[in-house]
Amino acid sequence: MVVTSHQSGVHVVAFPFALKGHMGPFMQFSKSLANYGIDVTFITTSPHLASTQNFFKAQHSVHIACFDMPIEHGEVTPDNFRIMAHHINNLRDQFFELMKALFARDGTSITSLPSLSHFGPPLCIISDMFLSWTQDVADEFKIPRYCLCVASACYLSFLYNFPYFYAQGLIPGPSDGEPLIIPGFPPISPCDVPVPRGPHRTKAMEFLQYHGRHLRKTTRLLVNSTYELESGVIESLQNILCNDFEGNQVPKILAIGPLLENFAQGEQHPKEMLQVEHQNHECLQWLGKQPISSVLYICFGTISMLPTQQMYELALGLEASGVRFLWLVRGAQVGPNGLSNDESLGTLLPEGFLERTKRIGLIYSSWAPQLHCLAHPAIGGFMTQCGWNSAIESIAMGVPMITWPLEWAEQEMNAQFCVDVLDVAVPIHNKGIGSKKIVGKEEVEWVIRLLMEDGRVQRSKVKELSKILVMACAPGGSSRKDLNIFVEELHSMASIKFTDTASSPI
């Protein structure tokens, strides 16, 4: 039974890192908690306020607190990530003031958030793996902090072990050095280790060390994955935690993913539910006119960058393959010499490309509902930078991938996982994160044909894994069980708190 916010007595604060790729899973998780009757104070930032309000408009148990952050449109690139991280760290004072208000016995003190006046004090903070300073705030208010990792369990293990890797001199290592070993995962080549290169590398190392150390202080580690998908890594990391903590309040890993729209909501397959939404969107209308499994969906996310020369080679290889395509080109994807507001697509692509391919392809330069596109029966493959959200969305929708990691976060690690471990993808060989190599049109054409004209193994395996993910989120599935464990723990904390309060002298 779903109880109302007045009945549950359970109130949590959810605080994601202010990037779209982090916000989405946090919003889905908060929605799931609200469906369990849990009150959620969800923290967003000014650039993301409108999209957050739209997402939660039907969720009466979720209330939004908005912090000011001076980043235009909420967009971020690898070059200005350091600036954004600085702004996010400066949200500490706003967060502390919010927590003080939420803990005030008299709800009238919450003048900026009158809708929260009926909430009790929060039982815990659920914050992003890159918001480690929220642990200090949780300690100040004597409540637990739960860390939600929106990336894979493998990246969580990498981050947790990073201080050890650094202390042992394993990171940074020479490009021809020994591979990095993450327990439960294949050896990782030094050039594929998810550590930024370039002038900000030292700061990045400090960033990863700081957050890796703070993972040891969290009450539990929640991860946007499933046990079946990453059982080896999850079990290995859990064993490391047991050894590190020697049995004293060992943080347990709860795999609660995939945190995707329409998962675990009824008996209908989430793919079928997605196919009836956004039908009027231009991309979905175009897909509706294409044969089943004939279209290659191409998208490199909202941060990763393709230089103009690489776009040119990609277009030539795509055209030579003769494969139908839906190519999303967003302004933030293209580097300083690429797409800008005053440039047309025609100046970035081979002369005549748009005209020659208009019968088999659509290039779209605005927002499109990616998960809904991947759910469409016309999609037969996904060329992706392999951010974790894109990878798990593709697997969940049963779509095999062409992995093309660029220069951001753990993309190369995810690509290796999809290609070598899961066997649901074929790779573009661009020689590691941050590589300046331009992949030629011949290789682009070859790999597209490999997946779209053959790819039987990858297609079969990804459909099998899609069913496993759906089952994991269904009642009795592994992710649903872990979510239930978390919810039951919250209710147990609420019960203890109520008992302590009731027995206290007035």
Side-chain angles (χ1 to χ4, degrees):
M1 180 183 75
V2 175
V3 297
T4 67
S5 61
H6 295 284
Q7 294 173 316
S8 74
V10 180
H11 175 205
V12 303
V13 174
F15 195 173
F17 196 80
L19 284 177
K20 289 181 180 178
H22 291 238
M23 296 283 293
F26 256 88
M27 290 194 290
Q28 293 293 343
F29 183 52
S30 297
K31 183 178 179 180
S32 294
L33 294 179
N35 288 338
Y36 274 84
I38 292 171
D39 293 323
V40 180
T41 296
F42 188 91
I43 298 174
T44 189
T45 53
S46 47
H48 298 286
L49 178 59
S51 60
T52 305
Q53 289 174 327
N54 184 61
F55 182 87
F56 288 124
K57 60 186 177 184
Q59 296 291 330
H60 302 297
S61 293
V62 178
H63 294 269
I64 299 167
C66 182
F67 294 164
D68 292 328
M69 193 176 69
I71 296 288
E72 185 178 0
H73 304 306
E75 298 293 354
V76 64
T77 66
D79 289 335
N80 71 14
F81 175 79
R82 188 167 57 93
I83 299 172
M84 183 174 188
H86 171 75
H87 285 305
I88 291 173
N89 286 334
N90 284 344
L91 297 177
R92 180 189 175 107
D93 289 344
Q94 294 185 62
F95 184 52
F96 188 80
E97 288 303 313
L98 171 67
M99 293 298 292
K100 280 174 56 179
L102 293 176
F103 269 90
R105 289 184 179 275
D106 183 359
T108 58
S109 66
I110 314 178
T111 55
S112 61
L113 297 166
S115 61
L116 292 176
S117 60
H118 67 277
F119 279 18
L123 295 172
C124 68
I125 295 169
I126 307 166
S127 61
D128 194 279
M129 58 187 177
F130 292 146
L131 290 177
S132 295
W133 54 263
T134 58
Q135 181 69 56
D136 300 331
V137 179
D139 293 343
E140 182 83 15
F141 288 94
K142 296 181 172 57
I143 59 174
R145 176 215 174 202
Y146 294 84
C147 174
L148 174 54
C149 174
V150 299
S152 65
C154 182
Y155 186 76
L156 176 63
S157 182
F158 167 78
L159 186 62
Y160 182 87
N161 286 293
F162 186 88
Y164 167 79
F165 293 150
Y166 185 79
Q168 295 296 314
L170 301 173
I171 297 176
S175 58
D176 59 349
E178 292 295 317
L180 188 70
I181 303 298
I182 295 177
F185 194 81
I188 301 175
S189 167
C191 63
D192 296 339
V193 172
V195 176
R197 282 129 175 94
H200 304 310
R201 184 169 192 169
T202 300
K203 288 291 185 182
M205 305 284 274
E206 294 173 357
F207 178 87
L208 293 172
Q209 284 192 79
Y210 171 75
H211 294 295
R213 287 195 301 267
H214 272 73
L215 285 178
R216 288 159 169 74
K217 300 180 180 181
T218 188
T219 300
R220 284 198 190 278
L221 297 169
L222 313 174
V223 63
N224 182 21
S225 189
T226 64
Y227 176 80
E228 291 83 357
L229 208 60
E230 298 189 89
S231 58
V233 174
I234 292 172
E235 289 180 0
S236 297
L237 180 55
Q238 191 66 71
N239 289 335
I240 292 172
L241 288 168
C242 289
N243 292 331
D244 286 353
F245 285 81
E246 297 180 350
N248 296 320
Q249 295 182 332
V250 178
K252 180 175 173 56
I253 303 167
L254 297 177
I256 55 171
L259 297 171
L260 301 177
E261 184 177 350
N262 287 333
F263 263 64
Q265 296 185 27
E267 297 180 359
Q268 190 177 11
H269 192 291
K271 189 170 184 176
E272 296 173 354
M273 298 172 69
L274 290 165
Q275 288 173 358
V276 300
E277 299 175 354
H278 293 291
Q279 289 184 332
N280 293 328
H281 192 280
E282 182 179 350
C283 290
L284 293 169
Q285 288 185 335
W286 183 84
L287 286 171
K289 301 173 184 177
Q290 311 307 316
I292 292 176
S293 299
S294 66
V295 177
L296 177 66
Y297 176 68
I298 305 171
C299 181
F300 295 99
T302 57
I303 296 177
S304 300
M305 295 183 175
L306 276 185
T308 302
Q309 184 182 354
Q310 185 60 80
M311 285 190 68
Y312 194 90
E313 293 293 321
L314 171 54
L316 290 175
L318 187 58
E319 181 181 3
S321 75
V323 168
R324 297 171 187 268
F325 64 88
L326 169 59
W327 185 358
L328 265 64
V329 177
R330 300 172 183 167
Q333 282 185 280
V334 187
N337 298 320
L339 184 65
S340 64
N341 292 332
D342 59 352
E343 288 180 309
S344 68
L345 284 172
T347 63
L348 298 169
L349 301 169
E351 184 176 357
F353 174 83
L354 295 174
E355 179 65 25
R356 293 193 302 272
T357 61
K358 66 181 180 180
R359 295 183 182 277
I360 63 168
L362 173 64
I363 295 185
Y364 198 73
S365 58
S366 186
W367 176 85
Q370 175 164 292
L371 191 60
H372 297 77
C373 288
L374 290 171
H376 199 284
I379 295 294
F382 180 16
M383 180 180 284
T384 170
Q385 92 287 9
C386 227
W388 183 245
N389 285 335
S390 291
I392 203 166
E393 285 175 359
S394 197
I395 295 168
M397 294 301 105
V399 177
M401 289 168 274
I402 296 172
T403 60
W404 195 333
L406 297 172
E407 56 179 352
W408 192 250
E410 81 291 11
Q411 293 173 8
E412 190 71 41
M413 182 184 289
N414 295 337
Q416 182 180 358
F417 181 59
C418 291
V419 173
D420 297 336
V421 179
L422 300 182
D423 205 9
V424 297
V426 295
I428 284 280
H429 296 288
N430 61 336
K431 300 191 184 299
I433 295 175
S435 171
K436 301 300 182 183
K437 172 194 172 186
I438 296 298
V439 180
K441 60 183 180 180
E442 295 83 5
E443 181 173 351
V444 172
E445 176 188 358
W446 177 81
V447 77
I448 290 174
R449 289 184 180 275
L450 177 65
L451 181 71
M452 299 298 289
E453 295 179 2
D454 187 4
R456 291 186 295 273
V457 172
Q458 291 79 13
R459 205 169 301 280
S460 173
K461 191 62 183 292
V462 78
K463 291 186 183 301
E464 175 187 335
L465 288 176
S466 173
K467 295 176 182 177
I468 289 173
L469 293 191
V470 173
M471 291 174 62
C473 292
S478 62
S479 293
R480 180 68 73 90
K481 287 180 179 178
D482 276 3
L483 178 59
N484 287 339
I485 289 172
F486 179 67
V487 171
E488 289 169 6
E489 187 168 309
L490 293 177
H491 281 286
S492 178
M493 284 194 295
S495 176
I496 294 171
K497 191 176 185 67
F498 176 79
T499 301
D500 290 346
T501 303
S503 61
S504 298
I506 297 175

